[in-house]
């Protein structure tokens, strides 16, 4: 197992889901899904979180931010998190030995699944078999699957909405929690357009953007209903901004509940 892995810069830069080719790749042969109910592990006192994804889960140590939010607001809980070292799409992980071994190596309570291929233009319909496969594998170990639809590229909020809708289509075939990341980013930039959520590349997250993303996962994993967030002291974000982003995360989840399927 590789914990808190530092991914090579080249992988960080290439690990995006924006795929736009003339034709979609062939469908992966995976076992049929059962569409069993989602296991709710929010009441556990010891969280074991696994992150499958690419540069969007690697940026600013997303797992560390989620862990810090949980332990700061719930001091009685412990959190262990692991990020898979390879920046792969979900369909590529189906045949990856490391990914298949990793999911069996811990009593995971939550597994975050990011890197479903999608079309920036919306003109290519990519297979969702890889995502369906991993949701099934997560349910088989009684962990909570959480899909991670990415935020839009800068200046294109419609992309965030479209990616969220793609993940909703996935859960229609195999129920899973969905973190409304793109929708939360859209709302934050609508209310506070001065926020610097993006890196200069207009795609990856600055610390502020990763903090917002982590907040959405924090509320899903912990099922926290408190209005006031205990601020993190380990990040260079003022308390007012932290609370504003927490309010955005909560209101987005109230409008788009994560685990209703």
């Amino acid at each position: 197992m590789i914990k808190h892995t530092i991914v090579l810069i080249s992988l960080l830069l290439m690990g995006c889901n924006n795929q736009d080719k003339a034709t979609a790749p062939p469908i992966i042969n995976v076992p049929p899904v059962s569409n069993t109910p989602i296991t709710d592990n929010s009441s556990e006192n010891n969280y074991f979180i696994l992150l499958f994804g690419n540069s969007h889960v690697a940026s600013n140590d997303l797992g560390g931010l989620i862990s810090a939010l949980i332990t700061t607001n719930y001091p009685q809980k412990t959190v262990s998190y692991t990020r898979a070292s390879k920046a792969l799409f979900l369909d590529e992980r189906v045949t990856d030995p490391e990914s298949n071994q990793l999911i069996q190596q811990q009593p995971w309570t939550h597994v975050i699944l990011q890197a479903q291929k999608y079309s920036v233009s919306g003109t290519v319909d990519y297979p969702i078999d890889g995502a369906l496969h991993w949701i099934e594998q997560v349910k088989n170990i009684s962990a909570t699957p959480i899909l991670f639809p990415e935020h839009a590229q800068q200046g294109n909020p419609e992309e965030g909405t479209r990616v969220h809708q793609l993940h909703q289509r996935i859960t229609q075939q195999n129920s899973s929690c969905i973190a409304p990341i793109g929708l939360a980013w859209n709302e934050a930039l609508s209310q506070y357009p001065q926020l610097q959520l993006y890196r200069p590349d207009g795609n990856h997250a600055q610390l502020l953007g990763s903090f917002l993303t982590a907040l959405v996962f924090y509320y899903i994993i912990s099922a926290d209903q408190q209005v006031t967030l205990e601020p993190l002291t380990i990040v260079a974000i003022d308390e007012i901004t932290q609370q504003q982003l927490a309010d955005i995360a909560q209101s987005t989840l109230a409008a788009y509940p994560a685990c209703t399927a």
Side-chain angles (χ1 to χ4, degrees):
M1 181 183 305
I2 299 176
K3 292 193 173 183
H4 311 178
T5 307
I6 300 175
V7 179
L8 292 174
I9 294 175
S10 60
L11 289 179
L12 290 176
L13 295 176
M14 69 179 285
C16 307
N17 293 355
N18 309 326
Q19 301 293 303
D20 240 344
K21 299 178 182 178
T23 58
I27 295 174
I28 304 168
N29 290 322
V30 296
V33 298
S34 61
N35 199 20
T36 54
I38 303 166
T39 300
D40 181 4
N41 289 316
S42 60
S43 63
E44 295 291 325
N45 284 324
N46 303 300
Y47 291 144
F48 297 91
I49 304 171
L50 174 62
L51 297 95
F52 277 170
N54 53 38
S55 55
H56 291 293
V57 299
S59 293
N60 303 302
D61 188 16
L62 180 63
L65 290 173
I66 297 170
S67 176
L69 284 165
I70 294 170
T71 55
T72 297
N73 286 273
Y74 289 92
Q76 76 278 15
K77 292 183 181 286
T78 65
V79 182
S80 175
Y81 70 96
T82 296
R83 173 167 51 83
S85 62
K86 294 180 181 178
L88 301 175
F89 293 109
L90 290 177
D91 60 350
E92 296 171 336
R93 288 193 186 278
V94 173
T95 55
D96 175 58
E98 180 184 314
S99 298
N100 283 282
Q101 292 170 9
L102 189 56
I103 199 153
Q104 300 296 332
Q105 288 179 357
Q106 276 279 3
W108 307 111
T109 57
H110 300 82
V111 180
I112 295 172
L113 300 169
Q114 183 262 327
Q116 162 65 39
K117 291 176 181 175
Y118 69 88
S119 169
V120 174
S121 65
T123 58
V124 179
D125 191 16
Y126 283 89
I128 59 175
D129 300 70
L132 294 172
H133 168 81
W134 285 113
I135 293 171
E136 190 74 4
Q137 297 309 302
V138 173
K139 289 180 176 181
N140 287 342
I141 59 171
S142 299
T144 305
I146 310 176
L147 292 176
F148 178 173
E150 299 80 20
H151 57 265
Q153 295 182 80
Q154 193 167 19
N156 186 20
E158 295 81 8
E159 181 184 336
T161 302
R162 188 168 62 249
V163 174
H164 187 83
Q165 291 171 343
L166 167 61
H167 286 73
Q168 287 178 316
R169 181 158 60 86
I170 294 170
T171 64
Q172 291 172 0
Q173 297 188 40
N174 202 357
S175 57
S176 172
C177 299
I178 309 177
I181 302 301
L183 305 181
W185 275 56
N186 287 354
E187 183 61 26
L189 291 170
S190 174
Q191 291 193 32
Y192 307 104
Q194 76 281 3
L195 289 177
Q196 299 296 316
L197 302 184
Y198 292 93
R199 290 186 190 175
D201 66 5
N203 182 20
H204 294 92
Q206 298 262 33
L207 174 62
L208 203 60
S210 292
F211 184 75
L212 173 57
T213 296
L215 280 166
V216 175
F217 285 114
Y218 160 75
Y219 285 114
I220 295 172
I221 292 169
S222 69
D224 186 5
Q225 299 297 317
Q226 300 177 87
V227 175
T228 303
L229 180 79
E230 188 69 26
L232 291 190
T233 58
I234 63 170
V235 295
I237 304 173
D238 64 84
E239 291 187 17
I240 292 176
T241 302
Q242 288 193 41
Q243 186 60 52
Q244 288 173 333
L245 293 177
D247 293 343
I248 293 290
Q250 285 186 306
S251 63
T252 304
L253 284 164
Y256 301 92
C259 305
T260 59

